[in-house]
């Protein structure tokens, strides 16, 4: 069984890069995820259905299509990519940052849905009571709404992280499969399946992917329950 833990330097790099990419994607998605979830849960405006559809579009589109659209938009010759590279020196295509962007886009619908459901479950009368005492909406959201939706926030963040850990199609289309730069766990596993004698490496990384993803999901459930129980006590 020692061969399961005997990872090569390139395999370790793929593991570390996957965790790095998934973490960055999750953290970067949180602010817009909360905002969009709040708008969808509370807003009443023309085009709400369209916005909801656009948010959830990555769930039903082939990941390769999402990756290609990102390449057209954020590639070096794309409108957003060229602007960011010229004015801010930010480059996404064929960089690990591009992998993080692709993972963030693919995991965004899962995060938004979890947070939105939590916001919709909040008793609006509690917020209204705070408003009658003179608290402004931003203060009400930060001190009342945000703590109440914390379990959903944790669930959405972990689901986004887990989705990012397994993302392949959009990532490989947008940033390719470059060792030590954009080769995440799914890309590394795919590479091993394409070369003779790569079964052992593919199996090792597959088991590591399962362990990390399961650990993230279990942590999400445990944290959400603990936060929920603490809120019930308070």
């Amino acid at each position: 069984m020692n061969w399961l833990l005997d990872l090569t330097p390139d395999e370790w790099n793929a593991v570390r890069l996957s965790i790095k990419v998934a973490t960055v994607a999750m953290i970067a998605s949180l602010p817009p995820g909360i905002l969009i979830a709040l708008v969808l849960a509370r807003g009443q405006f023309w085009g709400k259905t369209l916005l909801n559809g656009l948010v959830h579009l990555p769930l039903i589109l082939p990941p390769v299509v999402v990756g290609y659209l990102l390449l057209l938009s954020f590639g070096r010759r794309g409108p957003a990519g060229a602007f960011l590279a010229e004015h801010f020196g930010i480059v996404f295509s064929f960089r690990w940052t591009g992998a993080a962007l692709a993972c963030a886009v693919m995991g965004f619908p899962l995060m938004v849905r979890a947070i939105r459901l939590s916001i919709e479950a909040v008793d609006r009368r509690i917020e209204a009571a705070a408003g009658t005492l003179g608290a402004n909406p931003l203060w009400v959201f930060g001190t009342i709404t945000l703590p109440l939706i914390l379990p959903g926030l944790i669930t959405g963040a972990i689901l986004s992280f887990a989705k990012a850990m397994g993302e392949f199609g959009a990532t490989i289309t947008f940033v390719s499969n470059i060792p030590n730069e954009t080769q995440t766990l799914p890309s590394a596993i795919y590479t091993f399946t394409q070369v003779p004698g790569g079964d052992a490496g593919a199996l090792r990384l597959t088991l590591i992917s399962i362990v990390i993803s399961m650990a993230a999901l279990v942590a999400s459930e445990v944290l959400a329950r603990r936060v929920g129980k603490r809120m019930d006590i308070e």
Side-chain angles (χ1 to χ4, degrees), residues 55-72:
V55 169
H56 291 86
L57 199 57
L59 286 180
I60 58 175
L61 280 177
V64 173
V65 173
V66 176
Y68 183 63
L69 291 175
L70 288 173
L71 186 61
L72 291 178

Side-chain angles (χ1 to χ4, degrees), residues 106-232:
M106 294 302 295
F108 193 68
L110 298 175
M111 176 181 286
V112 170
R113 183 165 181 79
I115 299 174
R116 177 184 178 180
L117 291 175
S118 291
I119 294 175
E120 291 175 344
V122 173
D123 189 346
R124 298 292 298 273
R125 291 173 297 181
I126 300 176
E127 298 172 316
T132 59
L133 297 176
N136 63 60
L138 188 60
W139 179 263
V140 171
F141 179 80
T143 59
I144 296 177
T145 310
L146 196 59
L148 290 175
I149 67 171
L150 194 56
L153 200 64
I154 294 172
T155 300
I158 299 299
L159 286 175
S160 173
F161 178 87
K163 175 65 175 177
M165 286 295 299
E167 175 50 39
F168 174 69
T171 303
I172 200 170
T173 304
F174 182 34
V175 296
S176 190
N177 182 15
I178 307 171
N180 302 324
E181 180 63 38
T182 65
Q183 190 178 76
T184 57
L185 277 172
S187 301
I189 293 171
Y190 172 77
T191 299
F192 274 122
T193 62
Q194 302 303 304
V195 298
D199 293 344
L203 180 58
R204 284 195 296 269
L205 296 183
T206 297
L207 293 176
I208 290 174
S209 298
I210 293 173
V211 169
I212 294 175
S213 297
M214 281 301 299
L217 292 175
V218 170
S220 167
E221 186 70 18
V222 172
L223 287 173
R225 286 184 179 181
R226 287 185 177 180
V227 171
K229 288 181 180 178
R230 184 175 299 177
M231 291 171 57
D232 290 340

